[in-house]
Amino acid sequence: MIFLVPNQAALERVGGYAAPEFDFLGVGVGETFWMLPAIQESELLYLGIGSEEMDGTTFDSYLETDPRVNLTGRWIKLQLVDVRGPGHFSAWTDGPTPTVWWSSFDALDATDAVWNLEGGHDHYSFAFSLPGLYEVDFVASAYIDGDLVASEPTTYTFAVVPEPASGAVLALGGLLLGRRRRN
């Protein structure tokens, strides 16, 4: 499956986005980036991270000391481990200043993670710095009976389409992706 980020997601880095707190986007002030917002907008994907189907007793409860979290709960950690694409990928939540959860603009490390409470659901703003195909890899982890368990990396593919006429680019990207997976 390829998640489509259409031309309607294109924004210029001006206004509030021009603040230095948004340098993590990987584009300069006045340049274009593509954003899927944390609030629902017509014609754009409304992505969330959730585990509502879980009953809330599968994972151990612990104090997550990351300063962006600093709470006790039955946490599922989703770590960004790789981004392959023409530009940068990032996710954040809004506040007086953005809370950056993932950003490939700087080197990926242990801070490129979000924590979701078991049985919870959260929304983030997602951004891409250039048009093209992005393959984004995540590892999920949690504690069970005192042991940290982790998934294998899972890849999500996004196609950032710079203009409506770029359907051919999207189709070509799908063909190339299918070819890569067969090899």
Side-chain angles (χ1 to χ4, degrees):
M1 172 184 290
I2 298 176
F3 295 99
L4 179 63
V5 182
N7 188 52
Q8 293 90 329
L11 296 172
E12 272 191 59
R13 188 172 168 208
V14 295
Y17 295 116
E21 292 86 2
F22 283 93
D23 286 349
F24 67 86
L25 292 170
V27 297
V29 173
E31 293 182 339
T32 300
F33 68 100
W34 285 257
M35 182 177 84
L36 299 173
I39 57 171
Q40 194 166 11
E41 291 188 17
S42 65
E43 300 184 20
L44 296 179
L45 288 174
Y46 182 49
L47 299 177
I49 297 171
S51 59
E52 302 93 336
E53 67 282 351
M54 303 190 80
D55 68 9
T57 62
T58 305
F59 301 117
D60 296 350
S61 181
Y62 70 97
L63 171 63
E64 176 49 59
T65 59
D66 182 290
R68 299 170 294 176
V69 179
N70 203 31
L71 292 170
T72 298
R74 295 176 185 275
W75 296 109
I76 302 165
K77 180 180 178 182
L78 194 58
Q79 175 88 37
L80 176 64
V81 294
D82 195 17
V83 175
R84 293 172 306 285
H88 302 291
F89 169 75
S90 55
W92 72 95
T93 49
D94 291 318
T97 60
T99 299
V100 181
W101 298 96
W102 299 317
S103 177
S104 65
F105 180 61
D106 54 3
L108 294 178
D109 60 26
T111 64
D112 290 293
V114 299
W115 287 262
N116 180 253
L117 282 171
E118 182 179 2
H121 186 98
D122 297 304
H123 287 271
Y124 302 86
S125 293
F126 296 86
F128 303 85
S129 65
L130 292 169
L133 269 175
Y134 289 77
E135 294 177 310
V136 184
D137 296 345
F138 298 97
V139 170
S141 62
Y143 286 94
I144 298 176
D145 297 329
D147 293 322
L148 181 63
V149 295
S151 71
E152 292 295 319
T154 300
T155 302
Y156 292 88
T157 303
F158 295 87
V160 180
V161 181
E163 57 199 54
S166 294
V169 172
L170 179 60
L172 177 61
L175 289 172
L176 292 174
L177 184 62
R179 184 172 164 223
R180 175 189 278 170
R181 287 190 175 150
R182 282 193 300 271
N183 290 339

